[in-house]
Amino acid sequence: MKLKEKCFNGMSGAYAAMFTPIDAHNRINEEAIDEIVEFGIANGLTGFYLTGSTGGWFLLTPEERKTVWKRAVKAAKGRCKLIAHVGSTSTDESVALAKAAADIGVDWLSSVAPPVFCNNFNRTFEHYRKVSEATDLPFMAYSIGAELVPERDIRFFDLRNVKGIKYTGRDYYAAQALKRDLDKRKETIWFAGCDEQLLCGLALDGLFSGGIGTTYNIIPKHFAKICELAAKNDFRAAAKWQDEANQVVRLMIESDNWSYRKAMMKLVGIDVGPYREPFEKLTPAQEKAFLKRVAALGIIKHR
């Protein structure tokens, strides 16, 4: 299996679902975006997924999302691929964001299905139709926690610009069935979204061309190596990197307060701040105790 041969437009490998850094004044920390991009590229990442769930899109204004995209484009300097998540509770807003992201210069667009309301298949299809057709950029559907139904969901790929999917789910049997049917009709690219199961997904030759995840911000080299070694069919060596990564994942997700996740970046040497409310800020004591436990793993390296 060679990941580079299975995809188009250079889309493969490890992508960080970028944290949106917030400064002490609750504003976008643009300098920290530069640092995240440089750290990721230096450690083998091939791209970034911007203002997605990890990026707290639901806590950002449209203008703040544009700020993130502009800074990331500037920082990347064409050295990696950038996917802008333009999902919103409003289809009209998603369409406007899609057009703005295209003008800013990202490589791909992506969106979750309509959250909370109107999230049945027909309304989701119409949402994706309007958002994906708002520009000429390739569009990546974002399936997170939803059931994958191959005979139904294949219709999304009838849309002109829908050319990929970020699948944050664990039903690889259904994913294989859908991908197998799609391969008869058009070329598509799939990214695995469950960090702890990246290697499992890559082992299913022909399904995933890489992964997109939160932990990739913190230990990018691990996920880049998993992709690299899987492409060489060296799954035994890749498994060692996945095992270490999963130790970090386990601590990262043990709390439903996502601010713990962003705190891990301090061990890298990049302060991305907390998540905005309703997530809680960590007290100094909470942060110190947590980072001591994480540091004890000996896995996260300072840049």
Side-chain angles (χ1 to χ4, degrees):
M1 175 180 68
K2 295 183 179 180
L3 297 182
K4 293 293 184 182
E5 293 178 356
K6 297 197 305 171
C7 60
F8 51 91
N9 297 329
M11 293 287 289
S12 68
Y15 283 60
M18 184 189 287
F19 288 124
T20 297
I22 302 297
D23 67 19
H25 302 288
N26 200 33
R27 298 176 302 206
I28 303 298
N29 186 339
E30 296 188 50
E31 291 75 17
I33 293 175
D34 299 345
E35 295 179 87
I36 294 170
V37 170
E38 290 300 326
F39 176 62
I41 291 176
N43 283 278
L45 295 188
T46 51
F48 296 87
Y49 189 93
L50 309 172
T51 63
S53 299
T54 295
W57 68 266
F58 42 87
L59 302 171
L60 303 173
T61 67
E63 289 306 311
E64 286 176 323
R65 294 170 80 168
K66 295 172 191 176
T67 295
V68 172
W69 303 336
K70 289 175 183 177
R71 191 69 181 215
V73 168
K74 181 179 179 181
K77 300 174 184 176
R79 295 173 294 166
C80 64
K81 297 293 184 179
L82 299 176
I83 306 167
H85 173 259
V86 298
S88 171
T89 54
S90 161
T91 298
D92 287 345
E93 182 170 280
S94 288
V95 167
L97 287 169
K99 293 177 179 178
D103 288 342
I104 287 168
V106 302
D107 300 287
W108 278 62
L109 300 176
S110 183
S111 175
V112 291
V116 187
F117 304 110
C118 295
N119 57 359
N120 60 69
F121 178 83
N122 289 335
R123 294 317 305 163
T124 297
F125 183 89
E126 188 64 13
H127 174 80
Y128 277 153
R129 184 186 69 78
K130 291 184 176 180
V131 178
S132 68
E133 292 180 358
T135 80
D136 290 327
L137 287 181
F139 182 87
M140 183 177 294
Y142 180 5
S143 174
I144 178 169
E147 180 185 14
L148 203 62
V149 182
E151 58 273 17
R152 178 197 68 189
D153 296 339
I154 195 169
R155 287 182 53 204
F156 289 130
F157 296 88
D158 289 336
L159 298 170
R160 175 171 54 89
N161 289 329
V162 177
K163 298 181 179 179
I165 183 170
K166 178 182 185 289
Y167 177 58
T168 307
R170 295 174 175 82
D171 188 352
Y172 290 166
Y173 176 73
Q176 272 189 309
L178 175 54
K179 182 64 162 58
R180 191 178 299 115
D181 291 342
L182 276 171
D183 286 345
K184 301 172 185 176
R185 297 166 56 169
K186 66 186 291 188
E187 183 180 16
T188 60
I189 184 165
W190 286 53
F191 283 90
C194 291
D195 299 14
E196 72 281 6
Q197 291 186 308
L198 173 61
L199 184 56
C200 301
L202 293 178
L204 298 172
D205 191 21
L207 181 55
F208 295 112
S209 290
I212 299 172
T214 301
T215 329
Y216 298 47
N217 290 284
I218 305 160
I219 46 172
K221 185 176 181 179
H222 282 69
F223 294 96
K225 290 296 289 186
I226 292 167
C227 290
E228 175 190 331
L229 291 166
K232 298 175 181 177
N233 289 321
D234 191 350
F235 293 102
R236 184 178 295 276
K240 296 178 181 179
W241 289 93
Q242 184 73 72
D243 178 69
E244 280 197 355
N246 286 359
Q247 295 177 57
V248 177
V249 172
R250 186 176 185 183
L251 289 181
M252 186 184 74
I253 65 174
E254 69 177 9
S255 172
D256 59 6
N257 181 3
W258 289 13
S259 289
Y260 280 100
R261 304 179 184 191
K262 294 182 82 175
M264 284 181 158
M265 289 296 285
K266 289 191 175 181
L267 294 178
V268 171
I270 304 174
D271 188 349
V272 296
Y275 276 95
R276 287 172 169 167
E277 291 183 326
F279 294 105
E280 296 178 74
K281 292 183 179 179
L282 305 184
T283 66
Q286 287 174 323
E287 182 178 278
K288 181 179 180 181
F290 177 66
L291 292 183
K292 183 178 180 180
R293 292 173 60 209
V294 178
L297 295 175
I299 296 172
I300 300 176
K301 306 300 182 184
H302 196 282
R303 63 193 170 105

